[in-house]
Amino acid sequence: QVQLEESGGGLVQAGGSLRLSCATPGRRVTDYAMGWFRQAPGKEREFVAAVDWSDSITYYTDSVKGRFTISRDNAKKTVYLQMNSLKPEDPAVYYCAARTQSYHSEYPESYNYWGQGTQVTVSS
């Protein structure tokens, strides 16, 4: 059983930083690609970032490149999303997802497991 547990969301001022964590206490996911998605009210869930199983290859949507960093620590069974220079357009519920393939995808339907989400709010 794959379990994903996000944490680290909250309220931050524009320009500030947050680090989201995604713990995977169940089945080992070291050979799975991991992704972060976000969903704002009234919008579809969108891809934010992903990392392949080895942590050596990462992918980002254009709007977060240079500001967000995804990483994984397979020993700690945790995936991180460091978010810097947060902007008013970043607020959403952020979801961690696992894909039973070693390489990433930008399509939410290609991910097999999802966390419950964590809210990120940015004040201007």
Side-chain angles (χ1 to χ4, degrees):
Q1 181 74 11
V2 175
Q3 297 172 266
L4 305 177
E5 299 175 353
E6 301 100 332
S7 62
L11 172 64
V12 65
Q13 286 189 330
S17 298
L18 283 175
R19 188 176 80 158
L20 305 184
S21 298
C22 174
T24 61
R27 184 196 184 283
R28 288 173 62 87
V29 295
T30 54
D31 50 348
Y32 291 178
M34 301 294 295
W36 285 96
F37 291 78
R38 65 187 179 187
Q39 188 167 18
K43 296 187 176 181
E44 294 187 352
R45 192 166 298 188
E46 66 170 352
F47 171 76
V48 176
V51 58
D52 287 353
W53 71 274
S54 67
D55 194 29
S56 62
I57 304 176
T58 56
Y59 308 86
Y60 301 92
T61 193
D62 286 346
S63 63
V64 308
K65 285 181 181 176
R67 300 190 297 122
F68 291 11
T69 302
I70 188 172
S71 62
R72 65 190 299 167
D73 185 333
N74 285 335
K76 294 184 178 180
K77 301 172 70 174
T78 303
V79 179
Y80 303 98
L81 184 68
Q82 178 67 44
M83 305 187 296
N84 298 328
S85 303
L86 283 160
K87 299 180 178 181
E89 57 263 36
D90 292 321
V93 177
Y94 282 69
Y95 296 91
C96 176
R99 170 172 154 82
T100 57
Q101 303 284 344
S102 60
Y103 52 92
H104 92 295
S105 169
E106 298 183 7
Y107 301 99
E109 59 268 25
S110 67
Y111 285 77
N112 305 94
Y113 302 99
W114 292 85
Q116 80 287 353
T118 185
Q119 178 71 50
V120 171
T121 304
V122 179
S123 63
S124 57

